[in-house]
Amino acid sequence: MSAGVENGSSSPLGATPAFARASAGRPAANGVNFSVFSRHATGVRLLLFDSVDDAEASRVVRLDPSANRTYYYWHVFVPNVKPGQLYGYRVDGPFDPSSGMRFDPDKVLLDPYGRGVMVPRMYGRDAARRLGDNTATAMKNVVVDVSAYDWEGDIPLQRPSSRTIVYEMHVGGFTRHPSSGLAEQIRGTFAGLVEKIPYLQRLGITAVELLPVFQFDPQDCPPGLVNYWGYAPVSFFAPHYGYSSRRDPLGPLDEFRDMVKALHRAGLEVILDVVFNHTTEGDHRGPTLSFRGLDNAIYYILEEDRSRYANYSGTGNTLNANHPIVRRMIVDSLRYWVETMHVDGFRFDLASILARGPSGEVFPIPPVLWDIESDPVLAGVKLIAEAWDAAGLYQVGSFIGDSWKEWNGRFRDDVRGFFRAEEGSIEPFVDRLIGSPSLYGHKQREPEASVNFVTCHDGFTLNDLVSYEGKHNEANGENNRDGTDDNRSWNCGVEGATEDPAVEKLRTRQVKNFIATTMLSAGMPMMLMGDEVRRTQRGNNNAYFHDDETTWFDWRLLAKRADVHRFVTLLNSCRVPRDPEYERVALYQLIREAQMTWHGVRLHEPDWRHSSHSVAFTARLTHKRMLFHVILNAYWEPLEFELSSVDGCQEPWRRWIDTFLDSPQDIVEWETAPTVPGLTYRAEPRSVVVLFARLDAALQLADASTKM
């Protein structure tokens, strides 16, 4: 063991500011306890650095297996080390790919439990792939005292899922465009997002779902490009250095916490898109950055040929999530982001991979998923699964557990199919509208088990869904072969951008139809950043490495698409009202709690035929003294719909929404909604209509008495 250090402790893992125990002739001293797991290592060296760009360590602490190893935990206490200290590891062991061993003592390795990461100016992914020392170009960890932050009483919000509207967004892309109006040094950062919180409040969403913010490798992409989305994790505990406007070692951590605190003060929850299915180390040709060099055979699922990686993620490797060591790391990470970083929930990328065992088999009771579900720290946290993987496992409607919500890919597909007037779309569309009971009814789950969305980061934006018949990924350099071909899109008659006013009007109407349906449906709605202003990626449905205007939020669209933005804002304000006075018309209750009656163009005669493209329903919310009539017409011609009698109501039907009408008549304030004469309504082609009437107080009492 190196001079001037103590044996240290195996727990906790990571780098923890602590006190060494006093020993004979030696008092306790300030310092840091370092602990890392490696079963198959033959030697471990702790490296301390003065600067992230250093080509060699300022101090090397060699761990003695007889004194600094307990079980397979390597640990040491180093006095006088303080928060902000940079460190890494070198690990000795066999290099024998045929047995799954890939130790490389020339590589500087990140600590799997490291709370902070710094990236050198000349960071090189290739250097971690080649033979030889990579010290000068390697990422380094930062010692962090996680208790040294004043949360000022902040705690996670724990908003009910029924009162949640999720806004999926990219931290960098949200404010990186020059039109954001922010100072250049904070564009694309956690601090930049804070500056735009008033916009998010006015929009009416209640939670931001952030694309990956764990430290990832921007170089995990084809040469000359950049990994923009961030689905390339190298650390499960450290905020991404590139999203911080601060360059000091502790800057990313504090700036992230400042953002969370500010969002909470504004009443907005923070959900993190987390990637526990793979890492950025890739396949057998990939770099040695952390897990591969610490214990490759523990952290990854390997093929029968142990020199190759199972690839259920489509990215080159698969994390061995149900191994006890990896399970613990995943749960520890989640607990850390909740307890220490105060986040409100997680969306699990390719979550079905977490059901796979060490040979890729699908466990009926996956240990890691039950660990997550049953953990008391995570009991009030939103857990959202992308319930499929890249190898064909699809578990939407059958994902394990009781508390998990699911990205409902069926909702996306069936709502798209209905509004482009596909044959046979009516029955699946209605099932999605009422909370997908065909998927979730057997579990007797709340409707919010279904996370309803039409677009997300992966695929077309809402504008492109109605502007392109097929993908246009030529700029990705793969001859348009990448990205899904199953888009279920319709270009409204012209491929791509157009100045044709009729086509533009139809596209805007279709955008409003999709948004209205998402917000009116039973479940937890999610919308994609920029859809409220018809943000376009020019037909690119796989823009994961475009860190440019292709993917950035163009704030000039707020003026250009003011009508769509207004529509979304008013709709959100009624989906989950912030003003208690308007709670009586909260739309999250419309289908969730209403007594519903189905219709076609004639009352009580819904058309369920294969060729049907329209449906209507009446929803009665007696305890709210409200009656709604909703018409969804995906047909290419106008249809005249009968309306039910408004006997017992205080007034005639009033029109709240008609997406065929130009703004501001497409959606109006409740108190100014115009009355509808007679008992029919002409629903124009491809439109959504919502009418309402207030029940008479005497009728409400009569209804209540019949239930006693």
Side-chain angles (χ1 to χ4, degrees):
M1 182 171 64
S2 300
V5 300
E6 301 287 345
N7 291 351
S9 171
S10 59
S11 178
L13 283 161
T16 309
F19 286 95
R21 294 178 180 175
S23 58
R26 184 178 296 169
N30 290 317
V32 172
N33 188 82
F34 295 88
S35 177
V36 67
F37 175 90
S38 180
R39 176 176 181 176
H40 297 104
T42 58
V44 174
R45 285 167 285 169
L46 171 68
L47 314 177
L48 301 180
F49 297 93
D50 293 333
S51 169
V52 69
D53 296 302
D54 287 351
E56 60 182 46
S58 60
R59 184 180 181 187
V60 177
V61 179
R62 188 178 296 273
L63 277 62
D64 179 354
S66 65
N68 300 109
R69 185 176 65 178
T70 304
Y71 184 54
Y72 300 122
Y73 296 98
W74 299 75
H75 48 80
V76 66
F77 182 88
V78 185
N80 302 317
V81 172
K82 299 178 180 179
Q85 172 68 56
L86 304 183
Y87 73 99
Y89 289 99
R90 291 193 193 277
V91 178
D92 295 286
F95 182 81
D96 180 14
S98 65
S99 65
M101 301 299 175
R102 290 183 176 271
F103 291 96
D104 185 348
D106 287 336
K107 299 298 180 290
V108 175
L109 304 179
L110 289 175
D111 177 359
Y113 277 72
R115 266 50 173 181
V117 172
M118 288 195 75
V119 183
R121 289 189 298 273
M122 299 303 292
Y123 167 71
R125 181 178 177 86
D126 285 343
R129 240 193 298 248
R130 298 189 300 263
L131 294 175
D133 191 323
N134 74 326
T135 304
T137 61
M139 299 183 195
K140 279 88 173 176
N141 282 118
V142 181
V143 174
V144 173
D145 179 0
V146 296
S147 66
Y149 182 79
D150 185 2
W151 278 104
E152 302 179 275
D154 176 84
I155 56 174
L157 299 181
Q158 296 194 346
R159 182 188 298 275
S161 295
S162 62
R163 298 175 55 82
T164 298
I165 301 173
V166 177
Y167 188 76
E168 191 199 31
M169 64 184 298
H170 187 282
V171 170
F174 190 50
T175 63
R176 197 160 284 162
H177 198 283
S179 64
S180 67
L182 301 183
E184 187 172 359
Q185 64 268 25
I186 67 168
R187 292 179 197 161
T189 67
F190 300 128
L193 194 156
V194 170
E195 294 297 312
K196 293 296 186 179
I197 286 176
Y199 171 81
L200 297 171
Q201 286 182 293
R202 291 191 298 271
L203 186 61
I205 57 95
T206 70
V208 293
E209 182 176 300
L210 305 180
L211 265 67
V213 297
F214 293 179
Q215 181 64 46
F216 61 88
D217 186 356
Q219 295 182 13
D220 187 359
C221 58
L225 302 173
V226 62
N227 190 309
Y228 169 72
W229 283 350
Y231 292 91
V234 71
S235 171
F236 299 118
F237 290 84
H240 184 57
Y241 182 74
Y243 291 156
S244 175
S245 63
R246 293 171 50 176
R247 299 294 90 182
D248 60 293
L250 300 178
L253 185 78
D254 286 341
E255 191 167 324
F256 179 88
R257 292 189 285 194
D258 289 345
M259 177 194 69
V260 171
K261 185 163 60 174
L263 285 163
H264 283 174
R265 283 174 173 168
L268 301 174
E269 289 187 303
V270 180
I271 299 170
L272 302 186
D273 192 337
V274 292
V275 185
F276 291 117
N277 59 78
H278 75 278
T279 79
T280 192
E281 291 184 308
D283 62 15
H284 60 283
R285 298 161 296 185
T288 298
L289 301 170
S290 179
F291 310 98
R292 172 175 285 153
L294 281 163
D295 216 323
N296 186 65
I298 294 289
Y299 283 104
Y300 294 112
I301 297 178
L302 304 179
E303 297 281 11
E304 186 174 348
D305 174 358
R306 305 286 285 172
S307 69
R308 295 294 187 267
Y309 295 81
N311 187 19
Y312 301 108
S313 66
T315 61
N317 66 47
T318 304
L319 207 63
N320 193 9
N322 282 295
H323 187 284
I325 295 299
V326 186
R327 274 168 59 191
R328 182 183 298 118
M329 179 183 68
I330 291 172
V331 174
D332 285 349
S333 169
L334 297 171
R335 291 171 65 105
Y336 172 74
W337 288 97
V338 171
E339 291 185 307
T340 304
M341 306 297 272
H342 287 206
V343 305
D344 303 271
F346 305 95
R347 177 265 186 189
F348 291 75
D349 178 64
L350 298 180
S352 291
I353 288 180
L354 302 185
R356 292 188 182 272
S359 300
E361 71 276 24
V362 180
F363 286 155
I365 304 177
V368 69
L369 293 177
W370 283 108
D371 284 353
I372 294 168
E373 169 141 340
S374 62
D375 190 280
V377 171
L378 306 178
V381 167
K382 289 182 172 67
L383 301 174
I384 303 171
E386 183 184 34
W388 54 84
D389 70 14
L393 182 58
Y394 194 83
Q395 298 178 312
V396 173
S398 61
F399 198 75
I400 199 72
D402 299 319
S403 64
W404 290 85
K405 313 293 185 283
E406 298 174 20
W407 263 27
N408 191 344
R410 304 286 191 197
F411 183 96
R412 172 199 60 209
D413 296 343
D414 293 335
V415 172
R416 288 184 179 192
F418 176 75
F419 279 109
R420 73 169 189 169
E422 288 182 2
E423 294 289 300
S425 61
I426 187 66
E427 289 195 9
F429 172 74
V430 168
D431 189 73
R432 305 299 160 247
L433 194 69
I434 60 176
S436 297
S438 67
L439 297 175
Y440 303 108
H442 67 287
K443 290 188 175 182
Q444 298 182 331
R445 300 276 294 280
E446 61 181 6
E448 289 74 34
S450 173
V451 178
N452 298 333
F453 68 102
V454 175
T455 56
C456 64
H457 70 278
D458 190 2
F460 278 150
T461 66
L462 200 48
N463 175 82
D464 293 357
L465 184 67
V466 302
S467 302
Y468 293 90
E469 202 73 15
K471 65 186 182 184
H472 289 266
N473 296 357
E474 292 81 5
N476 297 355
E478 298 184 42
N479 296 317
N480 209 34
R481 293 190 302 267
D482 63 309
T484 182
D485 293 314
D486 183 18
N487 296 292
R488 307 194 186 194
S489 58
W490 177 51
N491 65 15
C492 297
V494 177
E495 189 73 355
T498 181
E499 298 298 323
D500 186 323
V503 173
E504 271 296 285
K505 183 174 181 178
L506 175 56
R507 288 176 177 175
T508 293
R509 184 157 80 251
Q510 287 284 75
V511 165
K512 293 175 182 176
N513 290 340
F514 283 122
I515 293 170
T517 300
T518 303
M519 293 303 161
L520 291 170
S521 298
M524 188 162 71
M526 183 186 83
M527 60 184 297
L528 173 64
M529 177 188 88
D531 276 353
E532 71 274 17
V533 290
R534 287 185 55 183
R535 183 180 71 85
T536 180
Q537 293 180 174
R538 297 185 288 278
N540 194 321
N541 74 352
N542 189 35
Y544 78 95
F545 56 73
H546 285 278
D547 189 4
D548 53 36
E549 294 196 17
T550 303
T551 52
W552 297 345
F553 190 113
D554 185 343
W555 291 86
R556 296 170 298 183
L557 291 172
L558 280 173
K560 183 177 181 180
R561 304 295 186 188
D563 59 333
V564 178
H565 182 266
R566 174 185 176 275
F567 183 88
V568 174
T569 299
L570 282 177
L571 191 57
N572 286 349
S573 71
C574 290
R575 168 78 191 196
V576 181
R578 291 175 181 263
D579 186 342
E581 182 181 344
Y582 292 96
E583 178 66 21
R584 57 188 172 83
V585 292
L587 292 185
Y588 72 85
Q589 299 171 315
L590 179 56
I591 295 178
R592 194 177 195 268
E593 302 177 12
Q595 306 165 42
M596 297 179 64
T597 307
W598 295 96
H599 314 291
V601 291
R602 295 183 179 277
L603 286 174
H604 309 294
E605 296 181 18
D607 183 358
W608 304 125
R609 292 176 300 168
H610 191 76
S611 59
S612 175
H613 302 294
S614 66
V615 69
F617 64 88
T618 305
R620 188 185 192 93
L621 278 166
T622 303
H623 64 294
K624 297 294 183 183
R625 297 176 59 185
M626 297 294 292
L627 194 66
F628 291 89
H629 195 91
V630 180
I631 301 170
L632 301 121
N633 181 22
Y635 195 48
W636 47 87
E637 294 181 7
L639 297 173
E640 196 83 18
F641 284 81
E642 293 180 352
L643 304 178
S644 60
S645 170
V646 288
D647 293 342
C649 291
Q650 297 174 336
E651 56 191 18
W653 288 109
R654 300 174 70 179
R655 188 196 72 237
W656 176 42
I657 294 174
D658 186 337
T659 60
F660 186 83
L661 300 176
D662 293 331
S663 183
Q665 298 305 313
D666 54 345
I667 183 170
V668 298
E669 299 282 357
W670 288 90
E671 301 307 321
T672 62
T675 59
V676 175
L679 292 177
T680 62
Y681 193 93
R682 177 186 168 97
E684 298 294 341
R686 307 185 194 275
S687 65
V688 172
V689 175
V690 181
L691 313 176
F692 71 92
R694 293 183 175 87
L695 292 170
D696 182 76
L699 181 64
Q700 182 193 20
L701 291 173
D703 281 352
S705 66
T706 63
K707 298 177 182 178
M708 294 181 179

